[in-house]
């Protein structure tokens, strides 16, 4: 069964850092683009970042560029999102998704608050 | 950025009746490879989004055939031929043609 499982969400203070992980299973991880998409409480969906198969190309939303880094570990079948300089407006459920959203995880919650 | 505009934002429907959601983009969604990367997602209360339609009109495996997508260029539609109780939730269009990928605001479907 194709599955994505996010982890790493937590309560963090403004200015702090957090690393999210997404474990992929049931498919050939190396052959697919992977993305992070977030949803603030009571709000709509916002694309955050995408990484292509070999990791050579990465794309970011302007709202996170320079603060967040998307990466992948082929050996561990895992996707990551390193989040630095966190702000209150980064508070959201973060989903990892395959390709253009054909598979989603259940999400992990990030809360940025003092 | 490509702006995706959905209408209506709220859609009360009667069980068994049809429903239609419009999604308009501020630029053509035809990619250089000839494909139109317009997706429709359903998000039921308390659940992750689920893709219903990809490339404007292709239904995902396992999606009931009462859901259909149509449109081209900048104008797209999601139709539910006969609404069932399990269809309650928020529906989003998303374009994956231009960076950054962008979503519509969402349309909340509820039963009258």
């Amino acid at each position: 069964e194709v599955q994505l499982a996010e982890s790493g969400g937590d309560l963090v203070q403004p200015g702090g850092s957090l690393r999210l992980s997404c474990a992929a299973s049931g498919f050939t991880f190396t052959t697919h683009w992977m993305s992070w998409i977030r949803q603030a409480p009571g709000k709509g969906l916002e694309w955050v970042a995408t990484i292509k198969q070999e990791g050579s190309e990465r794309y970011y939303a302007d709202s996170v560029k320079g603060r967040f880094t998307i990466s992948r570990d082929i050996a561990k079948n895992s996707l990551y999102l390193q989040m630095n300089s966190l702000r209150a407006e980064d508070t959201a459920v973060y989903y990892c998704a395959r390709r253009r959203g054909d598979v989603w995880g259940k999400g992990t919650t990030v809360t940025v608050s003092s | 950025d490509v702006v995706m505009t959905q209408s209506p934002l709220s859609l009360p429907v009667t069980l068994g009746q049809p429903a239609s959601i419009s999604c308009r983009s501020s630029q053509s969604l035809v990619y250089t490879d000839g494909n139109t990367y317009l997706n429709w997602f359903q998000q039921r209360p308390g659940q992750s989004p689920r893709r219903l339609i990809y490339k404007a009109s292709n239904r995902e495996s396992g999606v009931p055939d009462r859901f259909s997508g149509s449109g081209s260029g900048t104008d797209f539609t999601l139709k539910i031929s006969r609404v069932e109780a399990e269809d309650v939730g928020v529906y989003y269009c998303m374009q994956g043609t231009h960076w950054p990928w962008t979503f519509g605001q969402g349309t909340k479907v509820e039963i009258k």
Side-chain angles (χ1 to χ4, degrees), chain A residues 19-40:
Chain A
R19 188 198 198 205
L20 305 184
S21 300
C22 172
S25 60
F27 66 97
T28 306
F29 183 65
T30 53
T31 60
H32 295 282
W33 299 9
M34 296 295 296
S35 298
W36 289 97
I37 295 165
R38 68 184 180 184
Q39 187 169 35

Side-chain angles (χ1 to χ4, degrees), chain B residues 1 8-9 12 15 20 56 64 70 74 86 93 104-105 108:
Chain B
D1 296 2
L9 299 185
L15 288 174
S20 180
S70 63
T74 62
E86 66 179 18
C93 60
Q105 316 96 301
K108 187 173 185 178

Side-chain angles (χ1 to χ4, degrees), chain B residues 31-107:
Chain B
Y31 190 54
T32 52
D33 62 4
N35 289 311
T36 297
Y37 293 105
L38 185 284
N39 294 335
W40 287 99
F41 296 93
Q42 173 195 62
Q43 189 174 31
R44 291 171 171 152
Q47 294 187 13
S48 302
R50 165 199 183 194
R51 194 168 74 175
L52 302 175
I53 303 289
Y54 64 96
K55 294 183 192 176
S57 60
N58 296 274
R59 194 181 308 114
E60 286 282 358
S61 174
V63 172
D65 61 7
R66 64 179 181 275
F67 290 95
S68 64
S70 63
S72 62
T74 62
D75 201 347
F76 304 91
T77 303
L78 176 70
K79 291 183 178 176
I80 310 174
S81 58
R82 294 173 306 280
V83 172
E84 298 190 5
E86 66 179 18
D87 300 336
V88 164
V90 181
Y91 292 76
Y92 297 93
C93 60
M94 185 208 91
Q95 67 83 17
T97 296
H98 304 283
W99 297 105
W101 294 351
T102 47
F103 288 88
Q105 316 96 301
T107 295

Side-chain angles (χ1 to χ4, degrees), chain A residues 40-80:
Chain A
K43 302 296 185 182
L45 299 169
E46 179 188 16
W47 169 79
V48 173
T50 294
I51 186 168
K52 290 197 174 180
Q53 289 93 328
E54 298 300 324
S56 57
E57 293 182 59
R58 310 177 196 205
Y59 302 86
Y60 297 94
D62 284 347
S63 58
V64 307
K65 202 173 294 183
R67 300 188 299 123
F68 289 12
T69 301
I70 188 171
S71 62
R72 65 196 299 167
D73 185 328
I74 303 302
K76 294 184 179 180
N77 275 6
S78 291
L79 176 73
Y80 304 102

